[in-house]
Amino acid sequence: MKHQETAQQIVKSVGGVSNVNSVYHCVTRLRFDLKDNNKADQAALKKLDMVMGTNISGEQFQVIIGNDVPKVFDEMVKEFPALKQSAEGGKQEGEKKQNVILKIFETIAGVFAPMLPAITAAGILKGLLALFVTLGWMSAGTDTYRILSAIGDGVFYFLPILISFSAARKFGSNPFISVGLGAALMYPDMGVLLSSGNPVHFIGIPVTAVSYGSSVIPILLAVWLLSYVEKAVDRIITPSLKLLLVPLISLLVMVPVTLIAIGPLGTLIGDGLSGGINWLLTEGGLFSGIILGGAMALIIMTGMHYALVPVIISNLATLGFDKFLPLTYISNMGQAGATMGVFLRAKDKKLKSVALSTSVTALMGVTEPAMYGVNMKYKKPFIAAMIGSAAGGGFALAFGVKAYALAGNGGIPGLPGLVGQTFWYALGGMGIAFVIAAAVTVMLGFKEDADDAELISASIAPPAAPAPAAVPEEAASATADDTAYAPMTGRAVPLKEVNDPTFGDELMGKGIAFVPSVGELVSPISGTVMNVFKTKHAMVIRSATGMELLIHVGINTVKLRGQYFEAHVQTGDQVEAGDKLLTFDLEQITQNYDITTAMVITNTADYKQILPLKLGEVGFGEPVLKAEL
């Protein structure tokens, strides 16, 4: 349900279906081609829990989501079928003229993004096999190794067939006719014929000997041309014969044309691109590493790296390694290092906490929270990240670092993709990027803004409850069993159902949650109000027996900065169970926020066990939580 609601809100915020020419997704982002980017409400998008940020690259409008982007995209095209057609290559009226280079990048991305799960799985397996052999856990000649190798290598060898299916969806041709085209090129006897060394002719026309195994560019061009041939044939064939003749004529035309013209041309283009880029990466060494490493974050932000996807995959399939991929790992380490520098330099505790958590996330290969949430916001850390990445990239290419598999993750989990002869140099480049980015961030500094820090924190995790300074040290632990009563009318649910890991994973402590039906919060215990957050969306109360309760109304509602909330108590007030603490405009808040309210015992460690007493429909004052010493 969460993905469906997010999808609906995203479409609404980009100006509705009528404003969308096309949309597809990559690993972390929805990439829109909008008729008018000015109609997109970026502020509304950034308020959505699952949206990390937005970005405009050229004319492309990007909504950054993270690992859940496929689920959001699936819900989007399910809810709005017109968007599915645009994602598969269809066009809508009013589609604006687009930059040719950007269109090529988008096309390549649209073809390869759906294939990434298969390519990633194969790449990880190949990396693990290389690691197992290196460590002596497996021998390369065993039956088990050969079977596992077939799983990993098969995807890359039969890459033209995978590409033909995905490209057909992008170009609007019949995917099964396209697969038939790819299968004909990969047919075993075709390979024997073209590799025999003897002249090959088709009806007297010479056929150039080309190996199509693991190739990329030839099949892309072939399926693109097939989409036009298929439509042309479809227009001239009578309806009663379409099923029989359109596929037959399309294949009879396209397979020979591919063998005679497109295949050699595509191979020439592919070899030229691979050769030129590989020459730059190999011969440019230190200089190329500095330039590409430093610019990698910008390359990824603009989507230009998708133009290199065919080259990367071709290198892995034919050479067994690629020199561009390590730079993506190094760039991620630069972003992680910069946010670590923010953590070291920042004075605001909330910003320090956010910077540390996003640094760890970037180390794990997910850089959007670090890049967009922290580094770009404060600017100088982003520059520091580029400097660190340039240094790491220069080191890596100076020592010829290679990636041996497409692991699908440019962080620590993706390290198996780098296992090989240059592995230690790869780690060195990553370490240099991290350390230098952190050091430069600390040296350059940045201007802190407390309000900005609070908003950044809200987009990643709810704020932690501040320590109640007014509590005497000797009274800091619980002294008796305690019971908390329902602070609102609505539905009580287990804490794990809160859609935020800070509460759902019980990082703040054990407790219970509520979905309110009335916009009023009352005190669940008798005691002292230790803290009323200045944004009024959360409070900390301590009972006379020492139980400390944090009540947090809604997810990310800190962004409202107190709007729609009215506090009826102040820090230091004494309250009885049932006293009114807060009222809030339930209707207004639920338009943009999840109103699920968490109530947690922050001093959970003081108790032997904490038990929910009632789930389901509850009313004010019903016992819902018991803490036992």
Side-chain angles (χ1 to χ4, degrees):
M1 181 62 70
K2 189 66 177 175
H3 297 109
Q4 182 184 26
E5 293 174 357
T6 300
Q8 292 171 344
Q9 289 298 321
I10 288 175
V11 173
K12 177 183 177 182
S13 298
V14 299
V17 176
S18 61
N19 193 40
V20 179
N21 284 325
S22 64
V23 59
Y24 66 93
H25 72 87
C26 57
V27 179
T28 59
R29 311 174 196 191
L30 291 170
R31 296 174 178 265
F32 287 92
D33 172 21
L34 301 179
K35 294 185 174 114
D36 184 355
N37 285 340
N38 292 324
K39 290 184 178 180
D41 187 344
Q42 297 191 53
L45 285 166
K46 291 175 182 177
K47 288 180 180 179
L48 299 178
D49 288 345
M50 298 186 70
V51 174
M52 297 178 180
T54 61
N55 183 47
I56 297 178
S57 173
E59 295 181 345
Q60 185 184 82
F61 188 88
Q62 302 172 359
V63 180
I64 304 158
I65 292 176
N67 293 334
D68 281 343
V69 68
K71 296 178 182 178
V72 174
F73 178 81
D74 288 344
E75 290 295 336
M76 185 180 296
V77 297
K78 185 187 299 182
E79 189 77 12
F80 307 100
L83 296 182
K84 186 175 190 296
Q85 180 184 5
S86 74
E88 296 181 352
K91 296 181 181 180
Q92 297 183 23
E93 288 184 27
E95 182 171 356
K96 63 187 177 185
K97 188 175 181 180
Q98 197 173 21
N99 180 280
V100 174
I101 301 299
L102 182 60
K103 188 67 175 178
I104 292 173
F105 290 169
E106 289 187 2
T107 299
I108 293 173
V111 170
F112 282 94
M115 297 164 47
L116 286 179
I119 294 174
T120 299
I124 291 174
L125 180 56
K126 285 166 67 69
L128 289 174
L129 284 176
L131 177 63
F132 294 163
V133 171
T134 301
L135 296 175
W137 296 352
M138 184 178 291
S139 298
T142 63
D143 293 344
T144 299
Y145 177 87
R146 293 174 64 185
I147 291 172
L148 292 176
S149 292
I151 299 173
D153 292 337
V155 171
F156 289 101
Y157 182 78
F158 290 101
L159 199 57
I161 295 179
L162 273 71
I163 293 173
S164 64
F165 184 83
S166 186
R169 298 176 62 190
K170 184 65 180 176
F171 295 131
S173 61
N174 185 301
F176 298 101
I177 298 177
S178 300
V179 167
L181 171 59
L185 301 179
M186 296 301 300
Y187 185 64
D189 192 52
M190 182 72 76
V192 173
L193 177 65
L194 296 177
S195 62
S196 65
N198 299 319
V200 179
H201 295 82
F202 179 76
I203 58 174
I205 304 173
V207 175
T208 304
V210 171
S211 174
Y212 291 97
S214 304
S215 64
V216 174
I217 301 296
I219 195 64
L220 269 177
L221 294 176
V223 175
W224 171 70
L225 184 57
L226 171 65
S227 67
Y228 289 97
V229 171
E230 184 183 344
K231 291 169 186 173
V233 174
D234 186 77
R235 282 196 297 266
I236 62 175
I237 299 297
T238 60
S240 60
L241 296 176
K242 285 182 187 293
L243 181 62
L244 294 175
L245 296 184
V246 172
L248 175 62
I249 296 174
S250 298
L251 288 174
L252 285 176
V253 170
M254 281 309 304
V255 172
V257 168
T258 301
L259 292 171
I260 295 167
I262 294 179
L265 175 62
T267 301
L268 181 64
I269 295 173
D271 290 347
L273 282 173
S274 298
I277 292 170
N278 289 334
W279 180 88
L280 177 65
L281 294 172
T282 301
E283 302 300 325
L286 176 67
F287 179 76
S288 295
I290 291 173
I291 298 299
L292 292 174
M296 184 57 62
L298 298 176
I299 291 172
I300 292 173
M301 285 171 60
T302 59
M304 291 174 62
H305 61 301
Y306 280 109
L308 298 178
V309 170
V311 175
I312 293 169
I313 294 177
S314 178
N315 285 340
L316 292 173
T318 56
L319 302 177
F321 63 84
D322 176 75
K323 290 189 174 183
F324 183 82
L325 272 176
L327 297 178
T328 63
Y329 288 77
I330 289 168
S331 178
N332 288 351
M333 294 305 106
Q335 296 295 330
T339 46
M340 180 58 69
V342 172
F343 165 74
L344 296 173
R345 178 67 185 256
K347 296 178 181 179
D348 183 84
K349 291 183 179 180
K350 189 185 301 296
L351 179 57
K352 289 178 77 73
S353 175
V354 171
L356 180 62
S357 64
T358 56
S359 179
V360 172
T361 302
L363 287 171
M364 294 298 107
V366 180
T367 58
E368 279 80 7
M371 182 186 297
Y372 293 98
V374 179
N375 295 339
M376 290 187 68
K377 190 170 191 67
Y378 290 102
K379 297 180 179 62
K380 289 182 180 179
F382 186 73
I383 295 172
M386 295 177 66
I387 293 173
S389 299
F395 175 88
L397 288 194
F399 287 95
V401 169
K402 304 178 181 70
Y404 299 90
L406 183 62
N409 182 291
I412 292 174
L415 288 179
L418 301 174
V419 172
Q421 295 178 345
T422 61
F423 180 66
W424 296 110
Y425 293 118
L427 291 183
M430 294 166 67
I432 288 171
F434 183 90
V435 172
I436 290 182
V440 173
T441 299
V442 172
M443 288 189 294
L444 291 179
F446 48 89
K447 183 179 179 181
E448 292 186 49
D449 187 309
D451 288 337
D452 279 352
E454 189 170 66
L455 289 176
I456 294 170
S457 176
S459 68
I460 299 169
V471 181
E473 189 172 326
E474 63 270 15
S477 59
T479 59
D481 291 356
D482 222 331
T483 298
Y485 300 88
M488 48 181 50
T489 293
R491 180 165 51 90
V493 298
L495 193 62
K496 66 181 180 180
E497 292 188 14
V498 178
N499 190 28
D500 188 291
T502 302
F503 294 113
D505 294 344
E506 299 183 342
L507 301 182
M508 296 294 296
K510 295 182 180 295
I512 194 170
F514 306 89
V515 180
S517 58
V518 177
E520 183 177 332
L521 177 74
V522 303
S523 181
I525 54 176
S526 298
T528 304
V529 178
M530 304 309 303
N531 191 283
V532 177
F533 283 48
K534 66 179 181 180
T535 49
K536 306 174 190 176
H537 72 294
M539 294 187 182
V540 180
I541 304 174
R542 189 175 190 275
S543 73
T545 54
M547 181 169 68
E548 297 171 5
L549 278 177
L550 165 65
I551 309 170
H552 192 285
V553 181
I555 305 300
N556 284 339
T557 46
V558 66
K559 295 181 181 180
L560 291 170
R561 298 192 178 190
Q563 186 180 16
Y564 306 130
F565 290 95
E566 181 182 356
H568 299 283
V569 293
Q570 299 178 357
T571 300
D573 286 354
Q574 297 294 315
V575 294
E576 298 295 326
D579 286 354
K580 185 185 295 186
L581 301 176
L582 180 73
T583 52
F584 51 93
D585 192 327
L586 186 63
E587 183 178 353
Q588 288 290 339
I589 296 173
T590 53
Q591 287 182 12
N592 293 301
Y593 294 90
D594 182 346
I595 197 60
T596 303
T597 297
M599 185 172 76
V600 300
I601 299 177
T602 57
N603 58 333
T604 289
D606 292 343
Y607 294 93
K608 182 178 180 180
Q609 62 178 346
I610 295 172
L611 303 172
L613 298 178
K614 183 176 181 181
L615 297 176
E617 297 301 319
V618 296
F620 292 122
E622 292 187 54
V624 292
L625 198 63
K626 184 175 180 61
E628 298 179 354
L629 288 173

